[in-house]
Amino acid sequence: MRRGIAYGSSPLLTSATPVWRSRLIVAGFALAFLGLAGRAAYVQVFGNEFYQRQGEVRFARTLELPANRGRVLDRNGLILATSVVAQSVWAIPEDVDRSHPKLPEMARLLGMSMTELNRRLDAHPTFVWMRRQVDEPVALQVRDLGIRGVYLRKEYKRQYPEGEAAAHVVGFTNVEDVGQEGIELAFNERLSGRPGSRRVIRDRLGRVIEDVREAIPPVDGQDIQLSIDSKIQFFAYERLRDAVREHKAKGGSIVVLDAVTGEVLALANYPSYNPNLRRNLSGEQLRNRALTDTFEPGSTVKPFIVALALERGLVKPDTVVDTSAGRMTMGGFTISDVKDYGPLTVNQVIQKSSNVGTVRLAMQMPARDMWETYVQAGFGQKPQVPFPGAVSGRLRAYKSWRPVEQATMSYGYGLSTSLFQLAQAYTVFARDGELVPVTLLRSDEKAKGVPVFSERHALAVRRMLEMATGPGGTAQRAQTVGYSVGGKTGTARVQEGKGYAARRYRSFFVGFAPVESPRVVVAVMIDEPSNGHYFGGVVAAPVFSATVQQTLRVLGVEPDMSVQPHIVAEVVEEPF
């Protein structure tokens, strides 16, 4: 039987509770509510900006809306560089479960070890790129792994359809789509456009749940249409590559100019690189030799001395110049030809590439006249093309020339030039005495040249350069089927310290075609051939021949000759 409890008999329960105690408790609750209300008012009203900023720091994000980079096109509208969609994988490391069983699979898909993956996740707690610009199928496989904290972002990846052939012209961009070389760098601002933005609120899983403000749309970059013809570019690159390999050379360059418009139709170098696959690139591959490398131009400057002598009225094309003995001495320095040619006409001085004959003409003129002619032809001047790394070469002021230096400069020693400068200089002869400004952008109008020589004397030298490629000339291998050509060989020793290296040469040829009305100027340089031949007429001239023939056919120029090239057994070589 349960016993009852008499609550009223308990002294604790029967004692009266003091009034102040209950009031204290009520007051305490009231103060607590007042404190909470005050805190809420501070958070919601008075301190609102601070807490909004803190919330934005944690959950608000400004998403960049990338602009589509403009395309690089050749003169016919064929694509040289374009952007395609590529996914980039990123993560919030603090949200990633490091024990997830599929992490090794993600590392494999992204081409990295688990050590590298963990290193990336340890780099920053709130954001890290796992891999930029991966192929779409790989990105989708990563997404399908379902690893929390790993996300995809759409970006643009650059592609270069012409690969190695146009690499030094087009260049490439980095992973941030910023130009690093070539046209991509020179016209980066126009190609890039302007990115847009979108301000959003994300949840802790990275999902967008709200737009904070209206999105600013991106402005896509502009397309750039170059003067380059991709067909001519590819063919010129192949012929250059084959010549470098055949002669076991260190490298080479070729430049093809339109003599009418001044457009660069082709510019190629070898070694080259694939701009789509840029791992383990060397400076040797990246160097744009045609614009950055300088060399002493050797015999290729002799036509400028002859043209100047004609211009000053000192000689005529059939004037006889005495080169007897094949050598002459100046200031203790011996200047020689490959053999004793005896008396030569001015025409033959160019045809045979006589050093002695050229010096005898040069020493009849003031050094200042020679210097001014070289400057007017573009030597010592930086080419006016928006290309990174273009150099000016070296041409000392005439006041510092000693007589022997004036003599050697008349046949190309003591000054330096790039192949691009040399090609442009020869537009003087192709365009009837005018130096033509060059451009890398397409232009259908005839370029306005700057007069250097009179039309009559430029034409006279053009005939001499045609003789140099004919029987008895130094460049018979420059002849081509169906088209008349003119040009000049050059073979120069490679400088080493204060002197010249033994058995190291640069071989080059520069010329134009057709002779009567030149349409193209082509310059070729082969750097240090080492397979037994090194004369420009043997090493560089055949590259010129093949390139000219293909270029004129692509341009639709009618043949002006019906005969085959006539190459005699004996090939006269230029001295150096």
Side-chain angles (χ1 to χ4, degrees):
M1 180 178 177
R2 298 178 59 185
R3 296 175 61 183
I5 300 176
Y7 291 98
S9 63
S10 171
L12 180 61
L13 297 177
T14 57
S15 63
T17 303
V19 176
W20 64 267
R21 184 182 294 177
S22 60
R23 289 178 178 175
L24 179 63
I25 293 172
V26 172
F29 276 107
L31 288 173
F33 279 113
L34 285 174
L36 290 173
R39 181 65 176 168
Y42 175 77
V43 170
Q44 297 295 325
V45 181
F46 302 106
N48 180 263
E49 292 184 4
F50 172 78
Y51 288 101
Q52 279 189 335
R53 286 197 303 270
Q54 293 301 308
E56 287 185 2
V57 168
R58 290 168 171 76
F59 299 104
R61 295 285 186 273
T62 298
L63 303 181
E64 182 180 281
L65 303 177
N68 194 0
R69 190 174 177 87
R71 300 173 300 170
V72 179
L73 309 172
D74 84 337
R75 64 183 301 103
N76 301 308
L78 298 178
I79 294 175
L80 300 176
T82 189
S83 295
V84 296
V85 174
Q87 297 286 353
S88 290
V89 182
W90 64 282
I92 302 176
E94 61 187 7
D95 292 343
V96 177
D97 180 6
R98 297 295 188 91
S99 62
H100 198 290
K102 293 186 178 180
L103 277 181
E105 178 64 12
M106 184 176 78
R108 185 189 66 80
L109 289 171
L110 298 180
M112 63 178 69
S113 64
M114 279 301 296
T115 300
E116 182 182 355
L117 185 143
N118 286 320
R119 180 177 56 80
R120 287 178 180 266
L121 292 175
D122 291 336
H124 196 279
T126 59
F127 178 87
V128 67
W129 289 111
M130 300 305 297
R131 185 72 79 198
R132 303 289 295 274
Q133 299 179 354
V134 301
D135 293 336
E136 187 79 10
V138 174
L140 296 179
Q141 290 181 63
V142 171
R143 184 194 63 186
D144 293 342
L145 294 177
I147 301 174
R148 187 166 64 90
V150 177
Y151 309 98
L152 302 182
R153 178 183 174 182
K154 185 178 79 171
E155 293 188 306
Y156 291 101
K157 181 180 181 180
R158 212 65 168 156
Q159 286 192 344
Y160 303 95
E162 293 300 312
E164 294 183 358
H168 290 101
V169 174
V170 181
F172 58 86
T173 61
N174 62 12
V175 73
E176 300 293 342
D177 222 16
V178 177
Q180 301 295 293
E181 294 284 346
I183 293 297
E184 293 278 32
L185 174 58
F187 293 93
N188 184 65
E189 187 174 344
R190 286 175 57 181
L191 289 165
S192 295
R194 187 172 64 249
S197 63
R198 179 187 177 196
R199 188 71 174 169
V200 301
I201 299 295
R202 290 182 181 271
D203 64 13
R204 69 181 306 275
L205 298 179
R207 297 172 299 192
V208 175
I209 59 175
E210 182 183 357
D211 281 290
V212 175
R213 64 168 182 252
E214 187 176 350
I216 300 174
V219 177
D220 289 342
Q222 303 175 35
D223 290 346
I224 299 292
Q225 186 164 27
L226 302 182
S227 58
I228 296 294
D229 187 303
S230 58
K231 292 180 180 178
I232 298 173
Q233 176 75 24
F234 182 75
F235 188 87
Y237 171 75
E238 279 197 325
R239 299 288 78 75
L240 176 70
R241 180 196 61 195
D242 293 347
V244 171
R245 291 177 177 177
E246 177 187 352
H247 296 285
K248 297 181 181 179
K250 287 181 62 177
S253 303
I254 185 168
V255 178
V256 182
L257 301 180
D258 189 317
V260 177
T261 62
E263 294 171 294
V264 181
L265 299 176
L267 187 157
N269 300 279
Y270 188 83
S272 186
Y273 63 95
N274 187 343
N276 298 299
L277 303 170
R278 299 192 299 274
R279 293 184 180 180
N280 303 320
L281 285 181
S282 66
E284 192 80 359
Q285 293 171 293
L286 287 173
R287 198 166 81 242
N288 192 342
R289 296 168 180 267
L291 283 158
T292 63
D293 286 18
T294 60
F295 52 87
E296 291 179 311
S299 298
T300 57
V301 301
K302 291 176 181 176
F304 295 93
I305 301 302
V306 169
L308 179 60
L310 293 172
E311 199 81 2
R312 294 291 179 268
L314 300 176
V315 293
K316 295 180 179 179
D318 57 357
T319 299
V320 175
V321 180
D322 185 16
T323 69
S324 297
R327 63 182 62 243
M328 62 185 295
T329 303
M330 289 188 65
F333 183 81
T334 300
I335 298 167
S336 60
D337 289 335
V338 292
K339 67 179 183 179
D340 180 5
Y341 290 115
L344 294 175
T345 65
V346 173
N347 285 328
Q348 291 174 318
V349 167
I350 293 298
Q351 181 189 29
K352 304 295 185 183
S353 193
S354 169
N355 286 344
V356 174
T358 304
V359 171
R360 293 201 184 280
L361 295 177
M363 299 314 292
Q364 298 180 50
M365 299 178 285
R368 178 174 179 172
D369 287 1
M370 279 179 54
W371 178 82
E372 288 180 346
T373 297
Y374 284 161
V375 169
Q376 290 173 339
F379 296 114
Q381 313 296 309
K382 186 175 180 179
Q384 296 302 304
V385 288
F387 228 104
V391 295
S392 59
R394 182 173 61 91
L395 177 63
R396 291 189 294 109
Y398 67 91
K399 290 182 179 180
S400 66
W401 295 5
R402 295 176 298 162
V404 69
E405 290 174 324
Q406 180 180 350
T408 59
M409 284 190 184
S410 71
Y411 57 90
Y413 282 83
L415 69 155
S416 66
T417 182
S418 68
L419 189 70
F420 193 90
Q421 287 174 298
L422 190 59
Q424 184 182 10
Y426 264 65
T427 63
V428 168
F429 304 118
R431 273 286 296 271
D432 300 330
E434 295 182 341
L435 180 71
V436 178
V438 293
T439 178
L440 281 161
L441 301 180
R442 178 172 177 174
S443 173
D444 295 323
E445 298 181 359
K446 182 176 181 178
K448 185 178 181 180
V450 179
V452 178
F453 302 120
S454 67
E455 180 179 347
R456 180 164 63 95
H457 295 136
L459 180 58
V461 174
R462 203 156 76 211
R463 298 298 184 197
M464 298 177 197
L465 292 171
E466 182 180 20
M467 291 174 60
T469 64
T474 61
Q476 296 178 44
R477 287 183 172 86
Q479 297 175 49
T480 189
V481 178
Y483 298 99
S484 59
V485 301
K488 191 72 187 71
T489 56
T491 305
R493 294 185 184 274
V494 175
Q495 287 182 301
E496 189 174 69
K498 294 183 179 180
Y500 294 92
R503 300 181 181 178
R504 291 173 59 195
Y505 305 90
R506 288 191 179 93
S507 310
F508 29 92
F509 183 88
V510 56
F512 44 79
V515 172
E516 192 62 36
S517 182
R519 179 62 191 276
V520 295
V521 173
V522 178
V524 181
M525 189 273 288
I526 305 297
D527 190 11
E528 297 190 37
S530 60
N531 198 25
H533 298 288
Y534 54 83
F535 286 116
V538 176
V539 176
V543 181
F544 167 90
S545 173
T547 303
V548 162
Q549 186 168 344
Q550 180 70 12
T551 299
L552 293 178
R553 287 178 177 175
V554 169
L555 295 177
V557 177
E558 291 290 333
D560 66 336
M561 293 178 64
S562 58
V563 298
Q564 296 288 325
H566 178 68
I567 302 175
V568 298
E570 178 188 3
V571 176
V572 181
E573 296 298 353
E574 74 280 0
F576 36 78

